[in-house]
Amino acid sequence: MDYDPWDEVKAIDDTKAGIKGLVDSGIVKIPRIFIRPPHELAEELNMCKSTLQVPVVDLSGIQVEDERKKIVDEIREAAEKWGFFQLINHGIPSSVLEGMIDGTRKFHEQDVEVKKEYYSSDTTREVRYDSNLHVYKAKGKTAYWKDSLFISGLVSGHNEPEEIPPVCRKTSLEYIKHVRKLEDTLLGLLSEALCLKPNHLKATECDKGQTLVCHYYPACPQPELTLGTSKHTDPSFLTILLQDQNGGLQVMCDNQWADVTPIEHGLVVNIGDLLQILSNDKFVSATHRVVANKVAEPRISVACFFFNESSVSPKIFGPIKELISEENPPQYKEFDVSDYLAKYLSRPLGKTGLDLFRL
Ligand code: OGA
Ligand code: NI
């Protein structure tokens, strides 16, 4: 029988009901556009799983000088080796975290007629939801098993809070307020971990914009054939991720996948490509992915990407001067951040943003 993948893409797109809609329709086999190529599936079977765990950093002693030093050392070690760490006692109330997860669930599970209004793959729209079929559409790559709500433009002031969908508006605004504060704390700690003044990273304005991406990974009937999110590094400066207890996030360490096991009321932090560049490769932007959801209920996660989204005035970035010496020459040339983003978006999928300006 003739098979045209575009028919599949169009059929899903036209419903505007997302991957969740596919699952709700009762399918037992996933459409072909979601099936990973045979060589990838074979490779997967031969890969060893790591038993190592991403380091956990307890921020409760942050105000006490000796304990702060220990925290800075732990963060330095994690950022160098893993590019990932989990935070506990980070100060964001558990009710705010639970509210954010719950709001995300409510958005994705609301009446399709209401949700439809937000369905769009137009990346210039600051609030929209999408099924990630664009990876298939633009690059012919396997599509993945999730729906995502994007909320951006809050800092630049384009996006008025009223544009955030009513079902998750209050909880999202509350979470953003707290996560921004935590980001400031982290920038201080990361600056110290690089042996810079505590306000150094903040002063670069690298983190000036934020995009919240609220992911919904519906239960997948054939999870071994597809992925929730394919392997990638984050193009951001820094990412703070809230995940529910269902698991599925994995990070690459020493060429093996390691599970980022959920910690109740914990948060995952990862170094993005831009921070790897600023740190001149001292910190690593690690490859990570999400396996397709094997549990009966949906998995929910919320990524907050910190990224300078200035597209108006030029903003030049490159390795931090204080970190450069004869023994440690710059690994990247300087670039305008808007140029970085444009180049990043047009690169082949799965290629990191790091190679764009590497010397
Ligand atoms: C991302 C990401 C992980 C997750 O959005 O870039 O890696 O657990 N998300 O959803
Ligand atoms: Ni990511």
Side-chain angles (χ1 to χ4, degrees):
M1 212 167 59
D2 279 350
Y3 164 72
D4 184 349
W6 292 104
D7 291 343
E8 277 182 359
V9 171
K10 190 170 182 312
I12 299 168
D13 245 354
D14 287 351
T15 66
K16 301 188 175 176
I19 307 304
K20 180 178 187 303
L22 272 180
V23 174
D24 289 345
S25 73
I27 57 154
V28 289
K29 279 190 160 176
I30 64 175
R32 274 203 240 176
I33 54 166
F34 296 95
I35 302 179
R36 301 171 68 193
H39 71 272
E40 264 189 47
L41 293 170
E43 204 181 301
E44 188 76 49
L45 295 174
N46 291 326
M47 266 186 97
C48 293
K49 264 286 290 290
S50 173
T51 52
L52 297 177
Q53 279 291 325
V54 166
V56 178
V57 180
D58 182 345
L59 288 190
S60 53
I62 195 169
Q63 304 298 350
V64 185
E65 204 184 315
D66 281 353
E67 291 188 41
R68 186 176 173 98
K69 278 207 186 94
K70 191 172 146 263
I71 292 169
V72 168
D73 288 343
E74 287 171 357
I75 288 184
R76 180 187 306 112
E77 214 175 297
E80 289 179 2
K81 180 175 190 286
W82 288 86
F84 264 75
F85 48 94
Q86 301 216 57
L87 285 181
I88 55 169
N89 297 315
H90 43 64
I92 303 188
S94 33
S95 58
V96 174
L97 305 177
E98 282 161 10
M100 185 68 232
I101 297 266
D102 199 47
T104 300
R105 181 195 323 280
K106 286 193 174 118
F107 173 81
H108 290 281
E109 293 182 356
Q110 71 188 318
D111 189 340
V112 179
E113 288 308 311
V114 182
K115 193 166 70 165
K116 261 184 182 170
E117 298 298 317
Y118 297 93
Y119 191 80
S120 168
S121 50
D122 173 1
T123 53
T124 64
R125 246 180 94 166
E126 291 177 333
V127 177
R128 64 187 179 92
Y129 115 87
D130 191 6
S131 292
N132 300 286
L133 295 173
H134 62 94
V135 297
Y136 192 90
K137 287 193 224 170
K139 324 223 173 178
K141 297 277 176 161
T142 318
Y144 13 97
W145 205 256
K146 74 168 173 191
D147 296 326
S148 307
L149 166 68
F150 298 79
I151 302 174
S152 58
L154 281 159
V155 171
S156 55
H158 302 142
N159 174 359
E160 294 296 320
E162 296 76 56
E163 289 173 36
I164 302 176
V167 276
C168 59
R169 187 179 300 153
K170 200 161 160 258
T171 48
S172 303
L173 290 169
E174 190 65 18
Y175 179 71
I176 290 168
K177 189 177 83 191
H178 281 92
V179 89
R180 263 192 205 152
K181 225 173 102 197
L182 177 61
E183 159 78 1
D184 283 348
T185 304
L186 279 171
L187 287 192
L189 294 167
L190 287 161
S191 298
E192 288 176 55
L194 288 167
C195 303
L196 299 166
K197 292 204 188 79
N199 67 347
H200 195 112
L201 289 175
K202 189 76 196 166
T204 65
E205 297 190 342
C206 245
D207 67 320
K208 226 174 162 195
Q210 289 108 58
T211 295
L212 214 55
V213 187
C214 311
H215 303 295
Y216 185 93
Y217 298 87
C220 181
Q222 293 177 298
E224 67 291 348
L225 296 183
T226 188
L227 285 170
T229 302
S230 65
K231 65 174 184 182
H232 67 284
T233 60
D234 291 351
S236 58
F237 178 67
L238 197 72
T239 306
I240 299 181
L241 180 94
L242 166 65
Q243 61 169 339
D244 70 9
Q245 294 300 298
N246 289 325
L249 174 62
Q250 298 181 329
V251 56
M252 184 68 95
C253 191
D254 299 331
N255 269 321
Q256 294 187 340
W257 289 115
D259 286 327
V260 184
T261 309
I263 299 177
E264 202 167 6
H265 303 138
L267 288 165
V268 180
V269 179
N270 66 290
I271 308 294
D273 293 348
L274 272 184
L275 183 50
Q276 174 165 344
I277 293 173
L278 263 78
S279 75
N280 204 34
D281 284 346
K282 193 163 163 61
F283 291 168
V284 297
S285 170
T287 301
H288 54 286
R289 68 175 188 180
V290 181
V291 296
N293 185 5
K294 299 179 174 69
V295 298
E297 56 180 299
R299 171 182 185 263
I300 290 166
S301 68
V302 180
C304 186
F305 298 106
F306 290 86
F307 185 84
N308 185 304
E309 57 192 21
S310 160
S311 51
V312 228
S313 54
K315 187 81 199 146
I316 305 300
F317 285 126
I320 292 171
K321 300 268 176 333
E322 284 78 351
L323 303 178
I324 302 300
S325 62
E326 226 165 281
E327 307 83 70
N328 193 6
Q331 302 297 321
Y332 303 90
K333 53 186 166 197
E334 295 194 319
F335 54 86
D336 183 347
V337 76
S338 58
D339 193 28
Y340 165 85
L341 196 59
K343 285 207 170 79
Y344 176 80
L345 292 173
S346 60
R347 90 222 184 283
L349 191 82
K351 254 195 120 79
T352 95
L354 291 168
D355 296 334
L356 295 171
F357 299 98
R358 197 183 280 282
L359 284 168

